[in-house]
Amino acid sequence: MPTQTRAPQLASAGKALLLPMAIDCLVLGAGQEVGKSCAVVTINGKRIMFDCGMHMGYLDRRRYPDFSRVAPDGDFDGALDCVVITHFHLDHVGALPYFTEVCGYRGPIYMTYPTKALAPLMLEDYRKVMVERRGEEEQFTTENIADCMKKVIAVDLKQTVQVDSELQIRAYYAGHVIGAAMFYAKVGDSALVYTGDYNMTPDRHLGAAQIDRLQLDLLITESTYATTVRDSKYTREREFLMAVHKCVAGGGKVLIPTFALGRAQ
């Protein structure tokens, strides 16, 4: 969808947004839905895949992004300059072993050190649940996960990484979960930020997202709760504690189901 303005533009679901400053965005997942985050951005001739997630609500081919849209001939190394993963949640990294070990992508993959440490735990847990407990067809093996992570280049926050002579990327603290990062990418005089999931409200575990003041041509942002007005942290903690005290005072026991990574901490 062409546009005549040079102002920053927000990519919409399922559409390639062609901007006059030579930035093209192909949204392959998480456009107007929650799941399989994946956006392929071409910036001044360089092509970056931001996130490579799976959709937890599907068990058929819709589980993964349609990678044929990236390279119809299957030459993913020629079609992409790098892959960037924002954090370890499966809707952002779940399709990565399939993309590298089954589809055959061999190019550079960037993520933060905590994401590189925790992503294989999430991926292996998912594989065990789907294959060993539910009897689903195996999409990737334990060895595939290990081989995939060997291709990953870990980066520090605010470290400027020169992917090649023209493309540079930089990670910024996103809050959300440990290791989560927003990524800045620049080629020539064009620049963009892809946020992934981020949190602007600090809690007792992580701080609020932080990023420099940047001159951008494109912002691609997570917006799952964009129209949700949440109670204050004080109000939510007070209601939680009141419910716990009421249960315990009545002789009951409190069971709190929560994600083992992130929420539990």
Side-chain angles (χ1 to χ4, degrees):
M1 183 172 65
T3 177
Q4 299 301 314
T5 177
R6 288 188 61 87
Q9 299 291 314
L10 190 65
S12 60
K15 295 181 180 179
L17 189 63
L18 185 61
L19 305 179
M21 68 288 292
I23 299 180
D24 176 86
C25 182
L26 175 64
V27 180
L28 295 180
Q32 299 184 5
E33 65 175 354
V34 178
K36 66 175 178 185
S37 291
C38 185
V40 179
V41 181
T42 305
I43 172 171
N44 278 348
K46 298 296 179 178
R47 209 172 189 206
I48 310 165
M49 177 183 286
F50 290 99
D51 280 335
C52 190
M54 67 166 54
H55 198 300
M56 306 305 291
Y58 296 119
L59 297 177
D60 55 19
R61 61 182 178 80
R62 293 174 295 174
R63 175 185 301 175
Y64 298 133
D66 184 359
F67 295 123
S68 67
R69 304 268 317 262
V70 179
D73 61 356
D75 181 16
F76 296 107
D77 293 343
L80 293 171
D81 290 282
C82 70
V83 172
V84 172
I85 303 296
T86 58
H87 63 287
F88 62 72
H89 281 157
L90 291 176
D91 58 330
H92 292 258
V93 74
L96 189 62
Y98 182 84
F99 186 51
T100 61
E101 307 312 306
V102 179
C103 296
Y105 174 71
R106 297 291 182 268
I109 304 166
Y110 297 94
M111 61 182 71
T112 64
Y113 282 92
T115 301
K116 184 177 181 180
L118 294 171
L121 302 180
M122 296 288 286
L123 291 163
E124 176 60 19
D125 183 67
Y126 169 80
R127 190 201 65 78
K128 284 183 178 179
V129 170
M130 297 304 291
V131 177
E132 298 179 10
R133 298 183 190 176
R134 297 188 183 179
E136 298 284 340
E137 180 182 354
E138 191 166 58
Q139 300 292 313
F140 48 78
T141 66
T142 299
E143 292 73 22
N144 288 156
I145 296 171
D147 290 340
C148 171
M149 299 313 296
K150 290 176 183 177
K151 299 177 176 65
V152 171
I153 302 168
V155 302
D156 288 314
L157 294 175
K158 291 197 172 184
Q159 173 190 353
T160 299
V161 176
Q162 202 71 38
V163 177
D164 58 29
S165 61
E166 299 175 271
L167 170 61
Q168 66 175 229
I169 62 173
R170 186 160 62 244
Y172 287 95
Y173 182 76
H176 187 54
V177 293
I178 186 170
M182 303 176 284
F183 276 88
Y184 167 81
K186 183 178 181 181
V187 180
D189 60 355
S190 296
L192 65 94
V193 163
Y194 175 88
T195 67
D197 294 347
Y198 65 97
N199 189 359
M200 293 304 300
T201 304
D203 57 29
R204 296 177 184 269
H205 178 48
L206 298 168
Q210 299 178 7
I211 192 168
D212 296 333
R213 295 181 68 89
L214 301 166
Q215 187 69 38
L216 302 176
D217 297 296
L218 176 68
L219 171 66
I220 304 174
T221 178
E222 179 269 340
S223 58
T224 304
Y225 298 105
T227 59
T228 301
V229 178
R230 291 180 164 181
D231 292 330
S232 68
K233 184 176 72 172
Y234 171 81
T235 300
R236 285 183 280 120
E237 289 184 352
R238 183 173 179 272
E239 291 178 351
F240 171 71
L241 289 173
M242 287 176 63
V244 170
H245 281 289
K246 181 178 179 180
C247 179
V248 173
K253 298 183 184 298
V254 179
L255 302 178
I256 306 174
T258 186
F259 293 120
L261 289 177
R263 292 287 186 267
Q265 286 72 37

